[in-house]
Amino acid sequence: MAGGILASDPPQHTVLRVILSRMLMPRALRGLGPSVTAVAGELVDRLVVRGEFDAVSDLAEAFTPRFVADLIGLPEEGRDRILEFGAATFDGLGPTGERTPAARKRQQALMHYVSTTAARDRLAAGGLGARVWEAVDAGDIDEQAAVTLMTAFLSAGMDTTILSLAAAVRLFAQHPEQWDALRADPSLVPAAYLEVLRVAAPVTVFSRVTTREWECDGVTIPAGARVAVLYASANRDERKWADPERLDITRRPADHLGFGVGVHACVGQNLAKLEAHSLLTALLARVHRFEIGEPEFIVNNTLHGLSRLPCRIVT
Ligand code: HEM
């Protein structure tokens, strides 16, 4: 289980996956709904009064980390650091490059945080973190696997969601007619979020190792080869999507690959959707137009999206 949930195969993967799935299925998250809705409303109210803000730091980063922290049951101490960890984990994937040493350092900091500040005896009772450790007591997983699952929450569930929320603001600023359509029919919010993820997939690539020779579009991939699986590219494949660059909230792209596919498909997607649907709904009720300035983008081996998005709200 050395590679954690993402880099393990069944049957080891299944053990980890079952634990996380139980915690992150819609039924398990239902209790969180009202507080997510309330926080989304308060946050957007504040930003409307301000009028101008950065949609990354003041909106997306001000929203997601608190849910991840509350859900896991993290202690107050150190919560201000959890944003450091996610992007670094994704930047440590793939071939070694000039950013690798810094990414490794932050990954070690995450492991240290999980084993000290957020160690077992410092987690809130009833939170997902405590339940991971209960799985150790039940003999389902060992302690190392518990630490790995804790790091999975803190790495996989943070920047991915943040990037998607900021992308939504950018895309709806660039496509005001789509925002008008969404305001006219808020029942399209779930479909609209899927379409945002299709057009602006935060996770661009992960990899797999082939177990046998495989032919793909006339190219033979040998057995044992590491293959990059380009989710973001597939989401804009013109053989699958008509006019793929165009944001169209009526498309309902349920089979987009922004959350991956197969046994490793995103186990946290219900949480991401809960957050995004709440935030979009809060924005819909209060925002007539987004006006944006020059966006800045992150540089990361795996993730794509915004590091800064100056934004002005017109009500
Ligand atoms: C918009 C937000 C998100 C996006 C775009 C996203 C994307 C992805 C993708 C593409 C995969 C598949 C990896 C693969 O095929 O190898 C994945 C897996 C995973 N995601 Fe997410 N994710 C998001 C949110 C979350 C959240 C909120 C959590 C946790 C609370 C989470 C936890 C995980 C975990 C643990 C896996 C590994 C699952 C496995 O290997 O079985 N993700 N995610």
Side-chain angles (χ1 to χ4, degrees):
M1 240 177 248
I5 184 165
L6 254 179
S8 58
D9 287 322
Q12 293 95 329
H13 171 260
T14 316
V15 176
L16 301 175
R17 176 88 193 186
V18 166
I19 293 171
L20 282 190
S21 313
R22 271 201 305 254
M23 297 175 181
L24 293 166
M25 63 174 61
R27 193 154 39 92
L29 296 173
R30 207 172 289 151
L32 198 64
S35 66
V36 179
T37 305
V39 172
E42 285 159 22
L43 176 62
V44 175
D45 278 344
R46 276 203 307 277
L47 294 176
V48 165
V49 171
R50 242 171 98 173
E52 289 187 23
F53 56 91
D54 173 13
V56 177
S57 60
D58 299 325
L59 179 68
E61 289 182 355
F63 188 60
T64 291
R66 72 173 75 184
F67 297 116
V68 178
D70 285 346
L71 204 62
I72 301 174
L74 295 178
E76 286 303 323
E77 181 197 344
R79 280 190 177 207
D80 54 339
R81 292 187 54 212
I82 62 176
L83 256 182
E84 286 171 29
F85 302 131
T89 304
F90 286 95
D91 215 15
L93 303 175
T96 303
E98 61 184 26
R99 291 187 310 281
T100 309
R104 296 258 188 278
K105 235 177 159 171
R106 286 194 175 181
Q107 285 171 341
Q108 281 161 9
L110 169 58
M111 295 300 279
H112 183 70
Y113 167 80
V114 166
S115 2
T116 55
T117 315
R120 174 178 195 163
D121 59 344
R122 310 196 68 193
L123 300 172
L128 299 194
R131 286 166 58 194
V132 164
W133 285 101
E134 282 163 20
V136 176
D137 294 340
D140 295 337
I141 53 172
D142 60 20
E143 291 198 5
Q144 192 208 329
V147 171
T148 313
L149 283 183
M150 288 288 292
T151 61
F153 278 128
L154 284 165
S155 50
M158 201 75 76
D159 294 67
T160 48
T161 314
I162 289 170
L163 291 169
S164 75
L165 300 176
V169 173
R170 182 169 74 104
L171 286 170
F172 283 117
Q174 291 170 333
H175 300 274
E177 79 295 345
Q178 296 294 310
W179 186 245
D180 288 343
L182 194 54
R183 293 190 83 202
D185 183 1
S187 74
L188 288 174
V189 161
Y193 183 53
L194 292 181
E195 177 67 349
V196 166
L197 290 168
R198 185 191 68 78
V199 174
V203 179
T204 57
V205 55
F206 271 130
S207 71
R208 296 283 190 276
V209 176
T210 51
T211 54
R212 61 187 167 93
E213 189 177 281
W214 182 259
E215 184 161 329
C216 183
D217 274 351
V219 176
T220 303
I221 304 169
R226 185 167 286 281
V227 180
V229 186
L230 302 171
Y231 303 118
S233 172
N235 274 355
R236 294 188 182 203
D237 188 334
E238 63 285 356
R239 294 168 296 182
K240 163 82 179 167
W241 310 101
D243 199 1
E245 311 289 319
R246 191 167 54 88
L247 181 83
D248 176 359
I249 61 165
T250 61
R251 210 188 281 262
R252 299 177 195 272
D255 54 350
H256 75 90
L257 295 180
F259 287 124
V261 69
V263 292
H264 289 283
C266 182
V267 72
Q269 58 183 283
N270 295 314
L271 178 59
K273 287 175 184 169
L274 175 67
E275 291 178 39
H277 296 172
S278 301
L279 195 61
L280 281 174
T281 304
L283 289 164
L284 276 184
R286 297 156 174 88
V287 176
H288 172 59
R289 280 282 177 273
F290 301 102
E291 291 173 357
I292 54 171
E294 198 56 41
E296 289 173 20
F297 291 86
I298 59 166
V299 179
N300 189 285
N301 278 7
T302 314
L303 298 176
H304 175 73
L306 298 157
S307 59
R308 189 167 173 271
L309 182 67
C311 182
R312 198 164 78 85
I313 275 179
V314 181
T315 53

